Amino acid sequence: MKKVVFLLSILFSIGLSAQEKVYYNFAVNNCEEETAEGLINNCLKGSYLLNYDFVTIDGKKISTDKVKTPIVLIAASTRCAPCWGDIPALNKMVEKYDGKVEFLMFFWDDLNGIQRMQKKLDPRIKLIPPTKKFDNKAYTESYGFFHKLDYPTTYLIGKDKKFLSIRRGAAYPSKEMNWDKVNEINEKELEEFIKPVL
């Protein structure tokens, strides 16, 4: 009898903890925070990824529940200079962590814009087109995943599908900063960003 009671108490506590999970789609659509920092720190971090059946621009289906490694999910737009600035560092991270981390990138752009950026990206990054566009160009939706921050935004998702960290922005070349400095900054930031899941 004690074993049955013990087993029931474990199942009950597991059930309670499962009910406490907040999923990203609920968090992003119901957060009352008015700032991006508030949305990230008080609503999105710690939420969980539901399964999404993404389809890449090559027609390959990626079900997030079948991805067994941590995920780096990047929201990008080809009209965004920092998105272009982040590419060399991102490609280095893909090379370094191939097989340890899954890299997915979804876009605001149409197919022509995505294909233009694809030429610069490591082919192991899965590129996902938008399925819905909004008047607000900071918003995009891909197969049910709704993004409402700026570009680039990088989400770090653990093996358990929990959102661990969110990185916004990237360095890009300017009169004050050449490509070497840009790459150095972006590589360091991405390395630190990905480190918690390794």
Side-chain angles (χ1 to χ4, degrees):
M1 182 69 174
K2 287 183 180 179
K3 288 182 181 177
V4 172
V5 171
F6 178 72
L7 182 61
L8 287 174
S9 66
I10 289 173
L11 291 173
F12 180 73
S13 64
I14 290 171
L16 281 178
S17 66
Q19 290 174 353
E20 293 172 6
K21 276 188 179 178
V22 174
Y23 289 93
Y24 172 89
N25 62 330
F26 178 84
V28 78
N29 289 313
N30 293 289
C31 187
E32 295 182 8
E33 295 288 342
E34 294 184 16
T35 66
E37 290 76 21
L39 173 66
I40 290 167
N41 294 320
N42 300 324
C43 298
L44 302 184
K45 278 186 186 175
S47 68
Y48 288 83
L49 185 71
L50 285 171
N51 180 49
Y52 292 95
D53 291 323
F54 293 128
V55 179
T56 68
I57 62 169
D58 305 329
K60 295 177 184 162
K61 183 178 171 185
I62 300 167
S63 294
T64 56
D65 67 345
K66 292 184 180 167
V67 176
K68 301 304 179 201
T69 62
I71 299 170
V72 171
L73 182 62
I74 306 130
S77 171
T78 59
R79 63 183 171 79
C80 148
C83 294
W84 290 96
D86 217 15
I87 289 174
L90 182 58
N91 287 342
K92 279 196 175 176
M93 295 301 111
V94 173
E95 180 66 36
K96 187 170 184 176
Y97 299 117
D98 184 36
K100 296 177 183 172
V101 177
E102 184 74 45
F103 290 85
L104 307 175
M105 183 179 277
F106 66 97
F107 288 85
W108 176 86
D109 304 78
D110 60 19
L111 189 58
N112 290 336
I114 299 169
Q115 288 172 332
R116 211 178 58 178
M117 190 172 270
Q118 181 183 30
K119 293 174 185 173
K120 300 282 186 184
L121 290 165
D122 186 295
R124 291 171 285 197
I125 302 171
K126 276 82 173 180
L127 307 182
I128 302 158
T131 52
K132 184 175 180 182
K133 285 191 177 183
F134 299 84
D135 290 337
N136 183 333
K137 292 187 182 197
Y139 293 8
T140 189
E141 186 176 321
S142 291
Y143 300 92
F145 185 88
F146 180 57
H147 170 76
K148 66 183 214 179
L149 295 164
D150 47 9
Y151 304 102
T153 296
T154 309
Y155 301 90
L156 181 66
I157 304 163
K159 283 187 203 179
D160 62 353
K161 305 302 186 263
K162 185 176 184 178
F163 283 79
L164 303 174
S165 189
I166 298 169
R167 172 183 177 253
R168 295 172 59 221
Y172 58 96
S174 64
K175 289 179 182 176
E176 295 80 32
M177 199 177 327
N178 64 22
W179 270 109
D180 289 338
K181 187 64 177 171
V182 165
N183 292 336
E184 178 187 329
I185 291 169
N186 288 337
E187 281 175 39
K188 184 177 179 187
E189 284 184 4
L190 277 170
E191 187 80 50
E192 286 298 312
F193 180 76
I194 295 170
K195 192 187 292 185
V197 297
L198 300 173

